[in-house]
């Protein structure tokens, strides 16, 4: 269920004053490329602010990483089928919200996707589809319904031995949200956290204009098909423009439906706009799995959330209230 985000280009407009301008740093965090931009009065001030964001993202990674054997997430996974594990209120609430999104999307989003057997290969090595039996068996331990939360004791219990939770489809968005909240509390009036293409913005450019993002054309990743303003919100794109396989004339994306074990079909990219990156992150994956009609229908029921879908024929579909300024 891990997704590869399409690049989303940040468009800076001209007209900045020297005293108040954007400063950017690019670095690797959470195994991904992060670009952190803050509007500040000097490079020294900007450096201090960006350091604050980096430290916060690093803290989140240590909390949610399933690769770190010392993380709370690893402790929960190690005790699957055995006993509940006490976790921090922060991780407990993140898991609570993830389960809520699972219910909202009928299981199209599920943090227990980490329990899946990795039977699909998208590196060109797979020459035939796995058997139905293999696919069915691959998701036997998946199911958010088997996460037991005890709010009074702040414990998490995975019912089945071998079950695992993972935050690959929500973690970068959550980290970006937390870094953004912290920077705002420190007085940073505007900026952007770009988590490997997941854009999370606040405030405006120093010239008073909204931040603008160009949405990449998945049929030609060197071109953009839409230019949209983003104000104090997030935009996330999931795409299969590089990771997919073709069997019997059908294109299968690298995003796996955690309910069935089969890859998603019919969509090349799904872009979601939401107030928080955590939610946009999870819903972009969900829309991909749900498909065009069900995905857009679900988005249309949610306030302050919009989406753009490009199908495997290159046709653009969009939710009710979004306005696209085409390139």
């Amino acid at each position: 269920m891990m997704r590869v985000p399409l690049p989303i280009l940040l468009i800076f407009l001209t007209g900045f004053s020297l005293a108040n301008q954007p400063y950017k740093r690019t670095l690797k965090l959470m195994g991904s490329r992060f670009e952190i931009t803050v509007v500040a009065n000097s490079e020294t001030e900007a450096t201090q602010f960006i350091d604050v964001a980096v430290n916060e993202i690093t803290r989140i990674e240590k909390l949610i990483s399933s690769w770190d054997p010392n993380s709370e997430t690893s402790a929960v996974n190690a005790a699957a089928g055995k006993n509940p594990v006490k976790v921090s209120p922060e991780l407990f609430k993140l898991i609570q919200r993830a389960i809520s999104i699972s219910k909202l999307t009928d299981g199209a989003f599920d943090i227990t996707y980490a329990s899946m057997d990795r039977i699909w290969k998208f590196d060109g090595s797979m020459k035939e589809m796995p058997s139905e039996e293999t696919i069915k068996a691959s998701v036997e331990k998946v199911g958010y319904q088997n996460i037991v939360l005890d709010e009074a004791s702040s414990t998490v219990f995975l019912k089945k031995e071998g079950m695992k939770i993972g935050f690959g489809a929500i973690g970068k968005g959550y980290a970006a949200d937390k870094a953004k909240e912290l920077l705002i509390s420190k007085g940073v009036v505007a900026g952007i956290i770009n988590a490997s293409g997941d854009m999370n913005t606040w405030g405006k450019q120093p010239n008073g204009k909204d931040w603008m993002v160009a949405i990449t054309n998945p049929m030609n990743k060197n071109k953009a098909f839409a230019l949209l303003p983003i104000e104090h919100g997030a935009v996330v794109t999931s795409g299969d423009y590089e990771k997919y396989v073709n069997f019997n004339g059908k294109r299968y994306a690298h995003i796996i439906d955690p309910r069935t074990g089969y890859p998603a079909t019919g969509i090349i990219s799904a872009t979601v706009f939401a107030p928080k990156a955590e939610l946009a992150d999870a819903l972009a994956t969900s829309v991909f799995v749900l498909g065009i009609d069900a995905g857009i229908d679900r988005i249309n029921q949610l306030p302050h959330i919009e989406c753009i879908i490009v199908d495997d024929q290159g046709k653009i579909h969009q939710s009710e209230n979004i306005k696209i300024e085409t390139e």
Side-chain angles (χ1 to χ4, degrees):
M1 196 160 126
M2 279 281 291
R3 56 175 191 76
V4 174
L6 262 71
I8 300 179
L9 306 176
L10 175 64
I11 308 299
F12 288 100
L13 303 182
T14 58
F16 300 123
S17 67
L18 292 177
N20 196 25
Q21 58 182 310
Y23 296 86
K24 181 174 73 173
R25 188 189 305 172
T26 302
L27 67 166
K28 189 172 183 179
L29 296 165
M30 303 182 77
S32 300
R33 185 175 185 267
F34 271 69
E35 287 182 357
I36 301 172
T37 302
V38 296
V39 172
N41 292 314
S42 68
E43 186 172 355
T44 300
E45 183 181 66
T47 297
Q48 293 172 344
F49 285 141
I50 292 173
D51 285 346
V52 166
V54 171
N55 291 338
E56 178 68 353
I57 293 166
T58 302
R59 183 188 70 80
I60 297 294
E61 181 177 19
K62 289 178 180 177
L63 177 71
I64 68 173
S65 172
S66 55
W67 301 105
D68 180 353
N70 298 314
S71 74
E72 291 186 13
T73 300
S74 292
V76 170
N77 290 343
K82 301 170 186 174
N83 56 270
V85 173
K86 187 175 180 64
V87 300
S88 62
E90 182 176 11
L91 184 63
F92 188 89
K93 289 174 183 175
L94 178 61
I95 294 171
Q96 263 188 331
R97 293 195 301 275
I99 292 172
S100 295
I101 297 171
S102 293
K103 293 175 180 176
L104 181 71
T105 61
D106 299 326
F109 173 84
D110 193 330
I111 58 172
T112 68
Y113 81 92
S115 315
M116 267 192 283
D117 296 331
R118 302 296 190 266
I119 60 172
W120 296 89
K121 309 292 183 185
F122 298 93
D123 56 4
S125 64
M126 193 165 65
K127 303 305 179 187
E128 61 181 20
M129 284 183 65
S131 67
E132 282 187 33
E133 292 78 12
T134 302
I135 294 170
K136 184 177 180 181
S138 73
V139 293
E140 282 183 352
K141 295 173 183 174
V142 176
Y144 69 91
Q145 302 90 339
N146 293 314
I147 304 175
V148 180
L149 300 181
D150 186 332
E151 193 159 12
S153 58
S154 192
T155 59
V156 182
F157 177 52
L158 307 181
K159 284 184 181 179
K160 296 184 178 182
E161 192 169 349
M163 267 187 79
K164 296 177 183 176
I165 56 173
F167 298 95
I170 197 173
K172 290 197 301 293
Y174 174 63
D177 285 337
K178 293 296 287 184
K180 170 180 166 180
E181 288 172 13
L182 191 54
L183 289 175
I184 290 172
S185 75
K186 299 287 185 184
V188 181
V189 295
I192 298 166
I193 311 289
N194 179 352
S196 190
D198 297 3
M199 308 291 294
N200 197 357
T201 74
W202 71 101
K204 293 180 181 291
Q205 300 184 63
N207 60 8
K209 302 282 190 180
D210 288 332
W211 300 109
M212 302 292 290
V213 293
I215 309 299
T216 303
N217 181 347
M219 308 299 282
N220 181 351
K221 62 180 180 177
N222 295 316
K223 292 185 179 180
F225 71 82
L227 188 64
L228 297 113
I230 307 296
E231 183 180 357
H232 202 75
V235 53
V236 172
T237 297
S238 287
D240 77 337
Y241 68 109
E242 286 178 340
K243 289 196 170 187
Y244 62 91
V245 291
N246 282 301
F247 289 124
N248 304 318
K250 194 169 186 177
R251 178 184 179 120
Y252 294 90
H254 74 283
I255 296 175
I256 311 296
D257 187 336
R259 303 166 298 184
T260 65
Y262 281 86
T265 61
I267 293 177
I268 292 181
S269 77
T271 300
V272 171
F273 301 81
K276 288 185 175 290
E278 174 190 313
L279 185 57
D281 218 350
L283 290 177
T285 302
S286 304
V287 167
F288 221 101
V289 170
L290 288 168
I292 297 166
D293 293 337
I296 287 180
D297 180 65
R298 194 60 49 94
I299 293 296
N300 283 336
Q301 296 176 45
L302 303 174
H304 313 300
I305 297 172
E306 303 296 338
C307 75
I308 300 171
I309 295 172
V310 181
D311 67 24
D312 55 9
Q313 303 302 309
K315 185 179 178 183
I316 297 172
H317 309 259
Q318 63 197 66
S319 54
E320 289 176 347
N321 298 314
I322 199 161
K323 295 178 177 63
I324 299 178
E325 181 181 332
T326 54
E327 285 277 272

